[in-house]
Amino acid sequence: MDLLTMLNAFFTKFSELINTTLVYSTALIFGALAGIYSERSGVVNIGIEGLMVSGAFASAVGAYYAEEANMGVWSPWIGLLTAMVFAMIFALIHAVATITFKANQVISGVVINFLAAGVTLFLVKVLFNGAGQTETLNDVFSKWEFPLLSKIPYIGYAIFTAYPTTYIALILVAVTYYVLFKTPFGLRLRSVGEHPSAADTVGIKVKRVRYIAVLISGLLGGLGGATITLTTTSAFSHNTISGQGFIAMAAMIFGKWHPFGALGAAVFFGMAQALNNFMRLFDFSKNIPQEFLYMLPYVLTILVLAGAVGRAKAPSALGEPYDPGKR
């Protein structure tokens, strides 16, 4: 094999790795953005996993019934909308518990995780005659190719041939940055997460802003779960998410609650998952137990959090219920 052939093979495999990384990163990007909105407003959201579970379930159900109604290629888009609405219901529960009733935010988030897991599994059995998962979808998202750009050698396939949800996630990273740092609403949201009493004194409705932020968090978390169902698994079961919400939280913290930082961290964790598939292409991987390859993203999550949490500065009022009577 000559050098040119070897280089071509290497860059081809590398472009496949980048493309797969984007596939795995997309759900993490949505989940990390969900956490940023909620926690920037001062509300801890341990329940991202639950939001993603609810979104994965609702997207499967919504897309399935859209297929039954012969909606064809519109079915996955209906699934996305269903996921956003259903996940926002769970986010609303979290908001009511933590903002109105001032419940412990960590405990409330854990409850959301358990509630979403239990409710979705129960509804799957009710809707699909006791089955352990939803019906496999026929109409799911396929990868889009950007005209001309997708034809660029190696780079075209790596970046410009992707699922529509990937492009939506990348756009929302930029939108989130603009909203948080360039708009009055973003200033209000960040102010209630840093110093709610001061925000209140200048007329900002602290509870209202936090409610909006948590509901946006639910919408984005639902999109994250739906992405997995509508691009990768084509169905929902109890292990569809498998801790992706917690990895998304790690990406949020590693990215220091900043949209672009979270994007970079999500891509990092996404590549860790993509390496699992990539390494199987090589003969030496046969000597590595598959369990080690599967655990790689989670081990990296723990290591990153262990090293990053001490240096990452969370919003000052994160986790503190706002009481107007206290200044």
Side-chain angles (χ1 to χ4, degrees):
M1 183 180 294
D2 59 26
L3 179 60
L4 187 60
T5 304
M6 291 177 61
L7 287 175
N8 180 63
F10 171 79
F11 284 115
T12 299
K13 294 298 183 185
F14 186 73
S15 67
E16 292 175 357
L17 174 62
I18 298 301
N19 189 268
T20 306
T21 295
L22 289 177
V23 172
Y24 285 116
S25 300
T26 302
L28 301 180
I29 294 170
F30 282 124
L33 292 178
I36 287 173
Y37 274 101
S38 180
E39 300 206 353
R40 277 283 186 172
S41 74
V43 180
V44 175
N45 198 345
I46 300 292
I48 294 175
E49 175 83 1
L51 298 178
M52 292 181 69
V53 169
S54 62
F57 161 78
S59 65
V61 173
Y64 170 75
Y65 283 109
E67 285 183 358
E68 292 290 293
N70 296 317
M71 299 189 70
V73 294
W74 291 103
S75 299
W77 295 103
I78 298 297
L80 275 185
L81 292 174
T82 309
M84 289 188 286
V85 173
F86 194 65
M88 286 177 71
I89 294 174
F90 284 89
L92 180 61
I93 295 172
H94 183 54
V96 171
T98 58
I99 300 171
T100 300
F101 294 104
K102 300 181 177 61
N104 183 286
Q105 295 175 5
V106 173
I107 293 176
S108 176
V110 172
V111 169
I112 291 298
N113 289 335
F114 282 112
L115 184 64
V119 168
T120 54
L121 184 59
F122 170 74
L123 290 177
V124 165
K125 292 185 177 297
V126 170
L127 296 173
F128 297 94
N129 300 318
Q133 68 174 46
T134 61
E135 295 286 345
T136 301
L137 299 172
N138 297 314
D139 294 306
V140 293
F141 288 120
S142 57
K143 291 183 178 180
W144 288 0
E145 295 184 357
F146 263 81
L148 300 178
L149 295 176
S150 62
K151 304 302 180 183
I152 300 174
Y154 310 119
I155 296 175
Y157 178 75
I159 300 175
F160 299 109
T161 303
Y163 292 110
T165 48
T166 299
Y167 299 124
I168 293 172
L170 295 175
I171 291 170
L172 285 178
V173 170
V175 169
T176 297
Y177 172 79
Y178 181 80
V179 168
L180 288 180
F181 299 103
K182 303 295 181 180
T183 67
F185 172 74
L187 178 61
R188 295 188 188 101
L189 188 147
R190 288 184 289 119
S191 67
V192 301
E194 293 291 343
H195 205 308
S197 297
D200 194 9
T201 59
V202 296
I204 296 173
K205 304 295 184 183
V206 176
K207 291 186 176 181
R208 179 189 298 173
V209 172
R210 287 185 169 181
Y211 260 98
I212 294 172
V214 175
L215 289 176
I216 293 174
S217 177
L219 183 152
L220 292 170
L223 282 176
T227 293
I228 296 175
T229 298
L230 298 173
T231 63
T232 307
T233 64
S234 300
F236 171 81
S237 66
H238 71 281
N239 62 350
T240 295
I241 301 303
S242 297
Q244 296 296 296
F246 297 113
I247 297 178
M249 282 193 62
M252 172 194 68
I253 296 170
F254 190 31
K256 298 182 179 180
W257 291 269
H258 192 283
F260 289 114
L263 169 63
V267 170
F268 171 77
F269 288 123
M271 180 170 285
Q273 296 183 63
L275 282 172
N276 180 18
N277 295 334
F278 186 70
M279 289 179 67
R280 294 181 193 178
L281 300 174
F282 301 96
D283 292 335
F284 71 84
S285 66
K286 296 177 182 178
N287 300 319
I288 303 175
Q290 283 194 351
E291 290 77 9
F292 283 95
L293 297 177
Y294 281 119
M295 66 190 282
L296 179 61
Y298 305 99
V299 172
L300 284 176
T301 301
I302 295 172
L303 293 175
V304 166
L305 283 179
V309 169
R311 295 192 297 271
K313 185 180 182 301
S316 301
L318 182 62
E320 299 177 7
Y322 177 59
D323 186 353
K326 294 182 180 179
R327 300 289 180 180

